[in-house]
Amino acid sequence: MLKVEEKLFQDRYRVDSGRPHIQIKDGEICTHKCAEQQCTVCCPAGCYTQEGNGKVVLIADGCLECGTCRIICDEHRNLEWEWPRGGFGILFKFG
Amino acid sequence: MAEKFDVIVVGAGMAGNAAAYTLAKGGLKVLQIERGETPGSKNVQGAILYSDAIEKIIPDFRDDAPLERHLIEQRVWVLDDSSYVGTHYRSEDFNKPPYNRYTIIRAHFDQWFNKKAREAGALTICETTVTELLLDGKKVVGVMTDRKGGEIYADAVILADGVNSRLATKAGFHPEIKPKDVALAVKEIHFLPQETIEARFNIGEEEGVVIEMAGTISDGMMGTAFLYTNKESITLGIGCMLSDFKKQKTTPYELLDKMKQHPSIAPLIEGGEMKEYAAHLIPEGGYNAVPQVYGDGWLIAGDAGMFVNGIHREGSNLAMTTGMLAAQTLVELKQAGKAFTAPNLAQYKAKLDDSFVMKDLKKYRRMPDIFHKNKQFFTTYPELISKAAQKLIRVDGVDKKTKEKEIKQSFVASRSVFGLIGDAFRFWRAME
């Protein structure tokens, strides 16, 4: 199984500790109403993981700020999605 | 902040920098706001720079812009799992200045472009996120930022805030982007010695090669891949429509790694040191996905307006051109003493319609729909074409007439006669 962490390790971030810019609105919706949980497949930084009990856990520290998760969550609109505060988040060296 | 500006530009990408530069040159008081640490630190592109678009803004850009290689060869590959069938076009005509296309590294280029805007008189503040637009009724009167006392006022705001276009969505100017209208692209940059790159691609100093790819590497999804040569690095990536990504179980990074392992691609990046992994959405909805791009006190430019020509892999030139045209509209109105009202800003749309931007998008308006509904162009055909080429090339004692017959039969078996005719028609309609 390919580890995306090895790729993200090359990237430069300034993490806004304790202030995640993306949050799941209602975890119950992910667990009980979303069969596919495609955020766990489509996020290019692997920020979303499936827990054994059907829960989806989001850790946004490695976020590449693409917007994929927000756009594919079009059935439930279950994300609070904002840009990180100015100067925080991914800082591309090359882009 | 009590200070008021003529125009606020949100974003310091291709569209934002083109707009800020043009506004400042036109004598307007312009504030540009960028959320990254520096201009370019949030921006992702392949990246190819088309000289024509930047030349119209900064004619002598070649003097000091950070350019990687000018392109002398274009390769288009159709891949199946073990092969590629391709066309290569290399011309000495592309090796004579002024060069037509260059590879660039966005983090470097955007800093240069922004410096030009600041030298022209624009004020740029970085590390500042615009959180929403300030509205007076329906009119945009400024922006709210995440700085202390974060309200800033202006007579107009140019939204060059990129594909996610958060500000226009929040203000209700257009609905949320649909998965069928954007592609998710992931890419990596691999560093190699300059001589290695030049030997591998049979190119001289400063000469570059582009490879555009489609086929089974997109795993049945509507998508394309690319590989570009920079001075001391190679960037490669793959992008597929989000609506397709949504329906399957391969992660974007697995797709990228599969591409890197393809027998035609792996030798090209062999020994390289990967120094960055990036992801970005590309607005590929085309003509029918372009939203309302102006209103009272606001204009949208670049990716935020879905200005990308997916079929020709053009985006940054449309971004620069729309940024420039938005700014020119405001400069002309200001000079004429006219207010930035919606009826007056309609001139921006007229300029867009009159430019290559909307003409090209209109030409390919059917393309996204046709490719969405006909995945055989990304699955069946690459394999058929590869097998046909192999059959013709492999010498094995079978006569050529029989080989041709077998090839014809393989196409009919996969798509039927009517299917083939229909596909030819659909492909022509998409490109018409």
Side-chain angles (χ1 to χ4, degrees):
Chain A
M1 184 71 179
L2 173 73
K3 282 211 166 85
V4 72
E5 289 79 7
E6 285 167 24
K7 292 183 189 291
L8 301 176
F9 182 70
Q10 298 297 327
D11 291 355
R12 187 172 159 242
Y13 294 93
R14 190 184 295 152
V15 176
D16 201 356
S17 300
R19 293 181 67 159
H21 65 286
I22 307 170
Q23 292 185 64
I24 293 170
K25 286 184 195 166
D26 179 359
E28 294 295 306
I29 290 177
C30 305
T31 310
H32 300 294
K33 303 224 166 122
C34 185
E36 289 80 22
Q37 303 187 335
Q38 274 303 98
C39 52
T40 64
V41 174
C42 298
C43 171
C47 292
Y48 297 82
T49 45
Q50 266 170 338
E51 298 287 296
N53 53 11
K55 273 189 181 168
V56 173
V57 174
L58 162 63
I59 299 168
D61 291 1
C63 178
L64 297 164
E65 298 171 27
C66 67
T68 293
C69 55
R70 191 190 75 250
I71 295 171
I72 61 163
C73 193
D74 54 349
E75 198 181 326
H76 303 291
R77 298 259 176 253
N78 198 28
L79 290 175
E80 289 290 350
W81 197 104
E82 297 291 337
W83 293 122
R85 280 195 296 160
F88 288 94
I90 181 78
L91 298 167
F92 290 113
K93 297 170 287 186
F94 308 102
Chain B
M1 264 190 231
E3 206 178 352
K4 193 187 162 190
F5 293 84
D6 290 326
V7 184
I8 292 169
V9 177
V10 184
M14 290 295 195
N17 284 327
Y21 179 88
T22 308
L23 289 163
K25 279 277 177 191
L28 272 66
K29 190 175 169 189
V30 49
L31 173 70
Q32 185 182 29
I33 306 174
E34 162 60 42
R35 65 189 186 85
E37 181 184 46
T38 53
S41 67
K42 295 289 184 183
N43 304 344
V44 179
Q45 194 197 332
I48 292 173
L49 176 78
Y50 301 96
S51 301
D52 177 71
I54 185 73
E55 237 165 19
K56 289 200 165 72
I57 301 163
I58 303 177
D60 56 359
F61 76 95
R62 293 179 181 87
D63 290 352
D64 52 3
L67 306 168
E68 293 289 315
R69 291 174 181 273
H70 66 267
L71 299 171
I72 64 159
E73 181 174 324
Q74 173 96 21
R75 303 180 185 175
V76 179
W77 287 2
V78 176
L79 300 115
D80 71 1
D81 290 345
S82 59
S83 338
Y84 76 81
V85 180
T87 60
H88 293 194
Y89 182 72
R90 177 191 277 236
S91 176
E92 196 55 21
D93 294 340
F94 286 137
N95 221 355
K96 293 180 190 126
Y99 304 122
N100 186 256
R101 301 186 301 163
Y102 298 88
T103 47
I104 55 166
I105 289 174
R106 281 293 299 270
H108 304 160
F109 186 86
D110 291 7
Q111 284 205 45
W112 167 86
F113 199 0
N114 176 258
K115 188 161 165 272
K116 292 286 168 187
R118 283 184 286 119
E119 282 168 3
L123 176 65
T124 305
I125 52 168
C126 290
E127 302 195 311
T128 306
T129 300
V130 174
T131 51
E132 60 191 329
L133 296 171
L134 298 173
L135 290 151
D136 179 7
K138 281 173 94 179
K139 186 179 161 48
V140 172
V141 295
V143 300
M144 175 64 88
T145 71
D146 62 355
R147 293 253 180 148
K148 249 185 200 153
E151 294 176 10
I152 313 173
Y153 293 88
D155 290 329
V157 177
I158 293 180
L159 304 171
D161 56 338
V163 57
N164 278 288
S165 188
R166 294 296 287 150
L167 297 173
T169 315
K170 278 189 186 175
F173 296 158
H174 61 71
E176 179 63 279
I177 306 154
K178 296 180 186 75
K180 74 171 179 63
D181 288 334
V182 282
L184 168 62
V186 285
K187 67 166 231 178
E188 288 178 359
I189 187 164
H190 291 248
F191 280 74
L192 283 160
Q194 188 174 334
E195 315 79 66
T196 307
I197 293 172
E198 285 160 10
R200 250 172 225 187
F201 291 85
N202 188 24
I203 46 178
E205 212 182 332
E206 296 187 359
E207 298 170 356
V209 173
V210 168
I211 312 177
E212 304 284 1
M213 297 168 249
T216 56
I217 44 168
S218 67
D219 227 3
M221 295 185 271
M222 171 177 167
T224 55
F226 64 89
L227 185 150
Y228 302 150
T229 55
N230 302 317
K231 210 164 272 171
E232 294 178 306
S233 60
I234 287 170
T235 50
L236 77 168
I238 182 162
C240 300
M241 301 308 293
L242 261 194
S243 47
D244 288 348
F245 259 123
K246 228 191 127 183
K247 285 185 226 149
Q248 53 81 61
K249 292 292 170 193
T250 306
T251 64
Y253 36 95
E254 283 165 346
L255 201 66
L256 178 61
D257 272 43
K258 209 179 122 201
M259 173 195 173
K260 281 159 56 186
Q261 285 158 21
H262 191 282
S264 302
I265 297 167
L268 298 175
I269 55 168
E270 168 73 34
E273 190 189 352
M274 199 277 269
K275 288 200 179 172
E276 189 171 78
Y277 166 66
H280 195 64
L281 295 179
I282 306 168
E284 303 234 2
Y287 187 79
N288 295 320
V290 173
Q292 175 71 23
V293 290
Y294 68 91
D296 276 324
W298 60 275
L299 300 152
I300 298 179
D303 278 5
M306 287 258 162
F307 296 117
V308 166
N309 178 349
I311 199 88
H312 283 266
R313 321 309 305 153
E314 292 178 29
S316 65
N317 53 332
L318 281 73
M320 277 188 265
T321 304
T322 55
M324 178 188 75
L325 293 177
Q328 281 174 353
T329 305
L330 295 173
V331 170
E332 286 164 17
L333 288 173
K334 178 87 178 172
Q335 282 167 353
K338 290 183 180 167
F340 299 151
T341 59
N344 286 341
L345 293 179
Q347 283 180 34
Y348 171 48
K349 186 66 190 352
K351 285 180 198 289
L352 291 174
D353 289 340
D354 197 39
S355 74
F356 78 94
V357 173
M358 291 310 275
K359 284 178 186 168
D360 284 354
L361 289 180
K362 195 171 182 185
K363 171 171 157 55
Y364 298 115
R365 66 194 177 280
R366 297 188 195 91
M367 190 273 293
D369 241 27
I370 289 171
F371 283 155
H372 269 300
K373 288 180 189 145
N374 296 278
K375 295 286 154 44
Q376 66 271 22
F377 290 120
F378 301 93
T379 52
T380 313
Y381 281 106
E383 286 183 332
L384 285 172
I385 291 166
S386 168
K387 284 190 187 120
Q390 185 161 149
K391 203 176 266 292
L392 280 177
I393 291 162
R394 192 187 286 275
V395 175
D396 52 8
V398 179
D399 68 279
K400 301 298 184 259
K401 197 163 186 178
T402 303
K403 279 177 185 266
E404 280 174 12
K405 203 172 156 194
E406 283 171 6
I407 289 168
K408 201 171 138 194
Q409 279 167 351
S410 73
F411 273 72
V412 173
S414 293
R415 292 296 300 156
S416 85
V417 173
F418 287 111
L420 290 169
I421 294 168
D423 286 343
F425 179 70
R426 280 184 277 271
F427 196 77
W428 170 72
R429 287 279 280 176
M431 303 296 166
E432 187 196 5

